[in-house]
Amino acid sequence: MAGTDLKAEYARHVRRKLLVGGALVALVLAAAGLSLRTGAYPLGAGDIAAAILGGGDHLVRHVFWNIRLPQVVAALLAGACLGLAGTAMQNVLRNPLASPFTLGISQGAVFGAVFAITVLGAGAVSATGAGRATAWLPHVIVGCAFAGSLLTVLALVCLSSLRDLSAAALILAGVAISAFFGSATMLLQYFASDIEIASAVFWTFGDLKKAQWPQLAVMAVAVLPAAGYFLWRGWHFNAMIWGDDTARSLGIGVRSLRLTALVLAALAASVTTAFMGIIGFAGLIAPHIVRMLVGQDHRFLFPYSALAAGLLLLLSDLLARTVMAPVVLPVGILTSFAGAPLFLYLLVKHRDIRS
């Protein structure tokens, strides 16, 4: 009888989590639909349907296929990358502050981009309607930014392998790496021209408009192995909540799991940072919000964090298009404004959060 009650309770528990997932999917679809319609050139439902079917006005098709839809896909892919990365890092490092930004990955990307702009001459200023700086060799900048992120990942993996650093020590190593790349970036900017500094500052703004279809394809390829691994190892990440010793007693290779999770999470986050610039707090906040809804079960936490981070980026992008219309703000500015106080609130109200 007791076993039957436990099974019934577990079934209700799973149903509640599935309902949360269904609600997240519905919210993402609603936000995506609103995002496709909102902008300086509004699109109606009929315009979108005609564009999908290959009909309608040429301008409508251009706006839909080359501007609106890439931005929606970019928000979902970037959210998936950052949400998965933040969830994995908070788990294996057992620190609610762990994220790609805490470990210095974004700072490594910034250094790579500034190096491309100031040393390789990959940036220039061109007059636009908003008077902004634009890069004229974007592939060079993206490649160098990605290389800078990989340098950070390599440094963390080497430190962990050679010295067998603890989870807390890896966080401190990330802080040190961040400081190093930050100082190196300032050194490059000190000797740069005004034009190069303007281009570097423009690149650091997290902006969904930077990624077009070829870049989005690369992001999709990068997020698939990370998502597959994290979902496959969901039970192992659940065991890691109780500490390394408990996980080892259950037959889990803690060292291998931690290194693999860090590498995959860092690679996914570095691709997003390289293509779109710095989008802060999405990968830090989304896992905490989802934990409040479904708890610590990583079988649900990973996919729901990816959805929640994507939803945050979609809503931030909508706000960026409307708050100062017709000026469109970089989405990274809004995520930082919204994320900082929300994260402080979570820390104050939920002191027992552990990853």
Side-chain angles (χ1 to χ4, degrees), residues 13 32 52 54 61 104 141 164 199 257 280 307 323 337 339 352:
H13 183 68
I52 293 175
R61 293 198 302 271
I141 295 176
D164 195 19
S199 294
L257 181 68
L307 286 171
V323 69
F337 268 123
D352 61 336

Side-chain angles (χ1 to χ4, degrees), residues 15-341:
R15 279 197 299 270
R16 285 195 297 267
K17 294 183 178 181
L18 292 177
L19 286 175
V20 171
L24 277 174
V25 171
L27 289 172
V28 167
L29 292 176
L34 187 59
S35 181
L36 290 173
R37 300 179 62 174
T38 305
Y41 189 90
L43 298 178
D47 295 327
I48 294 175
I52 293 175
L53 297 175
D57 183 75
H58 172 73
L59 181 58
V60 169
R61 293 198 302 271
H62 173 75
V63 170
F64 176 79
W65 289 107
N66 298 322
I67 299 176
R68 299 283 171 78
L69 188 58
Q71 284 185 242
V72 169
V73 176
L76 296 177
L77 286 176
C81 288
L82 297 175
L84 290 170
T87 303
M89 289 178 174
Q90 289 168 18
N91 177 278
V92 298
L93 298 179
R94 297 195 303 279
N95 191 315
L97 298 177
S99 73
F101 310 100
T102 308
L103 295 179
I105 293 170
S106 61
Q107 289 77 7
V110 169
F111 170 75
V114 173
F115 178 85
I117 292 169
T118 60
V119 178
L120 302 181
V125 172
S126 63
T128 65
R132 297 184 300 182
T134 58
W136 57 271
L137 289 177
H139 296 295
V140 176
I141 295 176
V142 167
C144 290
F146 186 60
S149 300
L150 292 183
L151 282 176
T152 307
V153 176
L154 181 62
L156 289 171
V157 171
C158 288
L159 286 171
S160 179
S161 299
L162 294 176
R163 301 296 299 173
D164 195 19
L165 296 181
S166 65
L170 276 178
I171 290 289
L172 296 178
V175 172
I177 293 172
S178 298
F180 172 79
F181 279 123
S183 299
T185 300
M186 287 189 289
L187 180 64
L188 291 176
Q189 291 176 330
Y190 183 79
F191 292 103
S193 66
D194 292 342
I195 291 177
E196 291 169 340
I197 291 176
S199 294
V201 170
F202 171 70
W203 181 89
T204 59
F205 292 149
D207 196 347
L208 299 178
K209 296 188 297 295
K210 293 178 182 178
Q212 299 303 315
W213 290 116
Q215 291 86 356
L216 294 176
V218 175
M219 290 178 61
V221 171
V223 75
L224 285 177
Y229 179 81
F230 294 146
L231 293 175
W232 176 44
R233 296 291 190 182
W235 282 113
H236 291 194
F237 285 100
N238 287 344
M240 290 288 288
I241 297 172
W242 304 103
D244 291 359
D245 292 338
T246 300
R248 289 192 186 97
S249 69
L250 295 174
I252 297 172
V254 172
R255 180 185 176 87
S256 174
L257 181 68
R258 177 172 288 128
L259 287 177
T260 304
L262 284 176
V263 170
L264 289 176
L267 287 176
S270 65
V271 169
T272 298
T273 306
F275 284 138
M276 299 185 187
I278 298 177
I279 300 177
F281 286 102
L284 194 63
I285 294 297
H288 289 301
I289 295 176
V290 174
R291 282 191 188 93
M292 295 167 62
L293 298 174
V294 300
Q296 295 275 22
D297 191 339
H298 283 74
R299 296 175 302 162
F300 301 94
L301 189 56
F302 275 120
Y304 291 1
S305 294
L307 286 171
L311 178 61
L312 287 175
L313 291 186
L314 283 172
L315 295 177
S316 298
D317 186 48
L318 278 170
L319 187 60
R321 298 184 206 173
T322 56
V323 69
M324 293 184 66
V327 176
V328 180
L329 296 174
V331 70
I333 295 177
L334 295 182
T335 57
S336 295
F337 268 123

